[in-house]
Each structure stands twice: as structure tokens, then as C-alpha cells.
Amino acid sequence: MTDGPIRVVVADDQTVVREGIVMLLGLLPGITVVGSAPDGEEALRLVAEHAPDVVLMDLRMPRCDGVEATRRIRAEHPGTEVVVLTTYADDDSLFSALQAGARGFLTKDAGAEEIARAVADVRSGAAGLSPQVQLRLLERLSEPEQPAPAPAPQPVPAPAPAQRPPLPDGLTQREAEVLALIAAGLSNAEIAGRLFVSPATVKTHINNLFAKTAVRDRAQAVAYAFRHGISDGS
């Protein structure tokens, strides 16, 4: 984490909204707006020019949308974090943004305090998700999968021993259990208590599963668990 005010670029295609966000951030202590952009291409140019700590990113923009701009910023300027600030809180927008590398996700009804907290959280290396978004992640993760269509009748083979489906990316069963508990919102200490292991052991499992799955933080771990159907009790 660097010292000094948090340097922010604002990207939103609606002029009134963009100027309003810039004005709002200008009133918050510890935050300095270094540029504003009407689309993703301009946001990328400003990031290259100013190397901000955080970009507040709208999703639906011309030329280059927020998801693609987020993906390119995280690939080309890893020192800049992205917090999505959007009208849209549907699952496609949420998971697309997290998978592109966003560390924060807020809707535009967020207040000044919530925006400031998310910006500070991602600059410090944490996730900046609103409580509503965290709840939606957990709800979606716990939703039962839709049953597949019934296959055509086939000859019944001899019974075979039941086997667990293979886990993705070489995860062990214990790493998958830890990932499921992360997705359920448990802290390291709570996971240690649930699994009857030490917090140090939990941290080792988390480091291993993050390395295997190439996720960078808990927000991306939740999205990964959702994609692969890994949940507590599954």
C-alpha cells in the first residue's frame, strides 16, 4: 500500500453522472481525482498517463466497455485496481466484471461513504464488494443446479462403485472444502474451527488453492467456486 491520497480515475459515458461522481469524490478526504473518461479507451489512456491507484468503472460504455477495459487495465497496468460502479447488478455483469479482474463492485445507489470505503479497501489489497453484492454471490452459489434433461433409455450396466467427480485445476478435497467455506463468507479463523485445524493450516490451503486456480483474492475465489459448483455441503 502506498502513502498519500488515493489517486482515482472515473470512467462513465454519461456526462452528468461522471461529473457528479468526480464532484462527490472531490469532497472526500484522502481521495484525489486525476482524470475522467467517457469510455473504456479513454480510461485506458488515462491509466497509462497517470498510473492511478483505482479506476471507478462503469460497465456499459461505447468503444470499449467496462469489462474489456478492466481486463486490459489489469493485464497492462497491474498496479491499478478497478472498482465497478454501475446501474446493472445482474449476474452476468457481476461475474463478468469479477472474472475480468475487478476487485470491487458497487451499484450507483451507493453512498459517498460506501464508495470511499470500497476505493480504500481495494487500494489496500482487500475486496470492495457492497453487502448486497456479497449476498447475491452467496445466494447464487447456493442455488441448486437445474436438472439435466432425461436421457434416452439405455441398457442398464452393472453397478459401479460411486466416485466423486474430479476437482478442477488439481484441487485436493480439503482445498475444495476451504474454497467452499470462503465462498460461504467464513473467515480464516472460522474455517479453522469448522475443519478442526489451525489457522496456519487454513492459510496454507488458501495459498495453494489460489495458486492452482489463478485467483487473486476472495472475491475472485467466490466467482471461481460459483463457476465450478463448489459450495459448502456440495
Side-chain angles (χ1 to χ4, degrees), residues 183-228:
L186 273 65
S187 67
N188 286 10
E190 290 169 332
I191 295 172
R194 177 76 67 88
L195 299 179
F196 302 103
V197 297
S198 70
T201 299
V202 171
K203 187 173 182 180
T204 297
H205 288 313
I206 290 174
N207 289 338
N208 289 340
L209 72 90
F210 273 31
K212 289 179 179 180
T213 60
V215 302
R216 298 173 55 253
D217 52 43
R218 287 182 176 244
Q220 291 188 5
V222 171
Y224 178 94
F226 160 71
R227 294 198 308 274
H228 294 282

Side-chain angles (χ1 to χ4, degrees), residues 20-78:
I21 295 171
V22 170
M23 183 179 299
L24 173 65
L25 294 177
L27 299 174
L28 300 177
I31 295 178
T32 298
V33 178
V34 297
S36 63
D39 56 57
E41 289 288 350
E42 179 65 8
L44 282 158
R45 189 190 69 78
L46 290 173
V47 169
E49 179 180 348
H50 297 288
D53 300 302
V54 179
V55 177
L56 272 179
M57 183 77 74
D58 189 21
L59 289 183
R60 311 290 171 88
M61 295 185 294
R63 293 210 298 167
C64 176
D65 66 23
V67 170
E68 178 61 21
T70 296
R71 184 177 294 109
R72 291 171 59 184
I73 287 171
R74 296 301 301 136
E76 300 168 19
H77 307 280

